[in-house]
């Protein structure tokens, strides 16, 4: 009887010991590159501008010494709510926010920030959280925050990543001068270099509106094309020549009226072209240089409304079209762009930023 009692006491002690071990509680079943593993490191929390991001089921992970976070839940669904796209063929994630575009690739340490090549300390990777059965693309938190100009800090004791960024809808404090005064003056693209998306829209909106009254090109169309073609006014051509639309010195035989270009000022640079087989090659081309953004907008609209293809208007019917999609379709069909997604790309920009409010 005493032996049985000792046995049960020993059994109870063993149960208490094993039930209190923290290993199983701290472990996390995940799959990396299709291989199942147990993650026993810290499960990281994330805050953005003081607000906790709900990622309990798919927390941040420390992999090879780098803190990795689920981009969609931190940057898209919550946090700054960035624009994004994922190309499964190229395994490329594109994040866009406040005029900055970052491209990240699965299992590659190469990233591109506004077209400039960067090298990451660790490659982004897909991780499947077994319990929630969620496949999540994890990206290096500190590096990506730096690319977007966010402040990043990490508390090891609190297992928390703290991210501080600029609200997309907040206009910076240097906006004391009114938009109207900017419209009346000679706007320089150099002012766009560090400008937020919201302020860019508020700056160029009145310019596009004023032009629309004269040309008939809808303000939303002008704004969307400027955003797409100049990268929110931050492209080299915009910064050096106030040229928001890639207007070359020679276009359609220069057979149109109302041009605001002086006929001689130019900026020469190397640019990419594509042959009939869609193979990229580079040429040195001359682009129109304008004294102001207003002149760039005016010349672009004059081209769209007066350029000819033979004896006929290249973009016939443009000014009688009553919707931005119809105008964009006429522009595309007139040969302005070769991309099959050009109209859809511009429509997405218009709807995302409510540019039709300026029409």
């Amino acid at each position: 009887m005493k032996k049985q009692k000792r046995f049960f006491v020993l059994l109870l002690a063993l149960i208490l010991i094993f039930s209190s071990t923290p290993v199983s509680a701290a472990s996390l079943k995940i799959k990396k590159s299709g291989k199942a593993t147990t993650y026993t490191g810290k499960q990281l929390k994330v805050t953005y501008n003081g607000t906790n991001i709900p990622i309990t089921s798919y927390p941040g992970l420390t992999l090879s010494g780098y803190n990795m976070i689920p981009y969609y839940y931190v940057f898209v669904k919550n946090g700054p709510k960035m624009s994004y796209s994922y190309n499964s063929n190229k395994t490329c994630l594109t994040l866009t926010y406040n005029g900055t575009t970052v491209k990240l690739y699965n299992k590659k340490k190469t990233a591109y920030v506004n077209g400039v090549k960067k090298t990451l300390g660790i490659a982004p990777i897909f991780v499947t959280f077994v319990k929630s059965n969620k496949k999540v693309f994890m990206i290096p938190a500190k590096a990506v925050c730096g690319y977007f100009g966010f402040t990043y800090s990490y508390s090891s004791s609190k297992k928390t990543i703290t991210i501080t960024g600029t609200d997309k809808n907040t206009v910076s404090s240097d906006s004391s001068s009114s938009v109207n005064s900017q419209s009346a003056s000679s706007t320089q693209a150099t002012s766009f270099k560090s400008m937020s998306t919201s302020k860019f829209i508020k700056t160029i909106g009145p310019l596009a509106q004023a032009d629309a009254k004269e040309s008939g090109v809808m303000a939303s169309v002008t704004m969307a094309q400027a955003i797409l073609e100049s990268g929110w006014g931050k492209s080299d051509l915009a910064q050096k020549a106030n040229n928001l639309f890639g207007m070359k010195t020679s276009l359609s035989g220069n057979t149109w009226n109302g041009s605001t270009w002086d006929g001689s000022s130019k900026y020469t640079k190397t640019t990419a072209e594509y042959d009939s087989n869609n193979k990229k090659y580079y040429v040195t081309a001359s682009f129109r240089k304008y004294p102001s953004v207003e002149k760039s907008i005016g010349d672009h609209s004059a081209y769209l409304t007066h350029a000819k293809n033979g004896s006929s208007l290249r973009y016939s019917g443009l000014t009688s079209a009553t919707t931005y999609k119809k105008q964009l379709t006429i522009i595309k069909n007139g040969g302005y762009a070769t991309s099959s997604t050009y109209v859809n790309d511009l429509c997405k920009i218009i709807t995302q930023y409510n540019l039709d409010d300026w029409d």
Side-chain angles (χ1 to χ4, degrees):
M1 189 73 179
K2 288 182 179 181
K3 287 183 179 181
Q4 287 181 329
K5 187 174 182 181
R6 285 198 207 99
F7 173 77
F8 283 116
V9 170
L10 180 61
L11 181 62
L12 180 61
L14 289 171
I15 291 172
L16 289 172
I17 290 171
F18 284 106
S19 65
S20 63
T21 181
V23 175
S24 61
S27 64
L28 187 69
K29 298 292 184 183
I30 63 173
K31 290 180 182 179
K32 292 191 299 177
S33 301
K35 295 181 180 179
T37 184
T38 300
Y39 174 82
T40 57
K42 294 178 179 178
Q43 298 178 29
L44 309 179
K45 295 176 287 186
V46 178
T47 69
Y48 178 80
N49 284 350
T51 300
N52 291 323
I53 304 295
I55 55 171
T56 305
S57 299
Y58 15 84
L61 308 175
T62 301
L63 304 175
S64 302
Y66 292 87
N67 291 337
M68 308 286 283
I69 56 175
Y71 87 88
Y72 179 79
Y73 298 98
V74 174
F75 287 140
V76 177
K77 186 175 182 180
N78 304 286
K81 297 187 177 179
M82 297 179 177
S83 301
Y84 80 104
S85 64
Y86 185 79
N87 186 320
S88 57
N89 293 326
K90 296 182 179 180
T91 63
C92 174
L93 167 69
T94 301
L95 294 173
T96 303
Y97 181 77
N98 271 10
T100 297
T101 297
V102 175
K103 293 182 180 292
L104 303 160
Y105 298 84
N106 182 35
K107 298 182 181 179
K108 292 183 181 180
K109 292 184 179 181
T110 299
Y112 290 89
V113 181
N114 286 340
V116 179
K117 185 178 180 180
K118 304 287 184 179
T119 301
L120 298 165
I122 186 173
I125 189 173
F126 278 102
V127 171
T128 298
F129 292 87
V130 175
K131 187 175 180 180
S132 59
N133 195 30
K134 280 280 187 181
K135 187 177 180 181
V136 178
F137 195 44
M138 306 291 284
I139 63 176
K142 186 175 182 179
V144 175
C145 283
Y147 295 156
F148 284 105
F150 296 160
T151 300
Y152 168 96
S153 63
Y154 171 62
S155 171
S156 178
S157 60
K158 295 181 180 179
K159 297 181 289 187
T160 301
I161 293 170
T162 300
I163 301 171
T164 305
T166 302
D167 190 332
K168 199 173 187 180
N169 296 315
T170 300
V171 178
S172 58
S173 59
D174 65 351
S175 60
S176 55
S177 60
S178 69
V179 171
N180 289 334
S181 65
Q182 290 176 337
S183 302
S185 64
S186 180
T187 306
Q188 298 299 303
T190 50
S191 66
F192 300 148
K193 191 169 185 179
S194 58
M195 191 177 283
S196 67
T197 55
S198 59
K199 190 178 178 186
F200 178 88
I201 290 169
K202 289 181 180 179
T203 301
I204 201 172
L207 308 185
Q209 258 186 346
D211 174 81
K213 292 178 181 179
E214 298 293 328
S215 68
V217 180
M218 297 177 76
S220 60
V221 170
T222 296
M223 294 166 74
Q225 286 189 295
I227 289 168
L228 181 67
E229 295 171 28
S230 73
W232 297 89
K234 294 175 173 60
S235 69
D236 180 65
L237 185 58
Q239 291 292 302
K240 298 291 179 60
N242 283 317
N243 190 329
L244 300 185
F245 307 95
M247 299 279 284
K248 292 181 179 178
T249 54
S250 179
L251 284 168
S252 302
N254 294 321
T255 54
W256 74 84
N257 298 320
S259 174
T260 59
W261 180 48
D262 64 11
S264 60
S265 298
K266 64 182 180 180
Y267 176 66
T268 303
K269 67 187 294 288
T270 300
T271 184
E273 301 283 355
Y274 294 86
D275 62 19
S276 57
N277 296 317
N278 203 33
K279 185 177 181 181
K280 183 189 288 187
Y281 64 96
Y282 292 89
V283 297
T284 299
S286 294
F287 294 84
R288 300 178 177 217
K289 186 175 182 179
Y290 303 98
S292 67
V293 169
E294 288 87 343
K295 294 294 185 182
S296 176
I297 293 173
D299 197 35
H300 178 251
S301 292
Y303 168 71
L304 292 179
T305 54
H306 292 98
K308 291 185 177 180
N309 184 9
S311 60
S312 303
L313 288 176
R314 178 175 289 275
Y315 307 105
S316 178
L318 180 69
T319 56
S320 60
T322 56
T323 67
Y324 61 78
K325 188 170 184 178
K326 286 182 179 178
Q327 284 204 348
L328 289 170
T329 301
I330 290 171
I331 291 170
K332 167 66 172 63
N333 292 342
Y336 187 96
T338 57
S339 171
S340 60
T341 63
Y342 187 73
V343 173
N344 285 337
D345 292 343
L346 288 170
C347 286
K348 285 180 181 178
I349 292 173
I350 291 172
T351 56
Q352 181 177 352
Y353 296 101
N354 298 315
L355 301 185
D356 53 333
D357 288 347
W358 296 91
D359 290 333

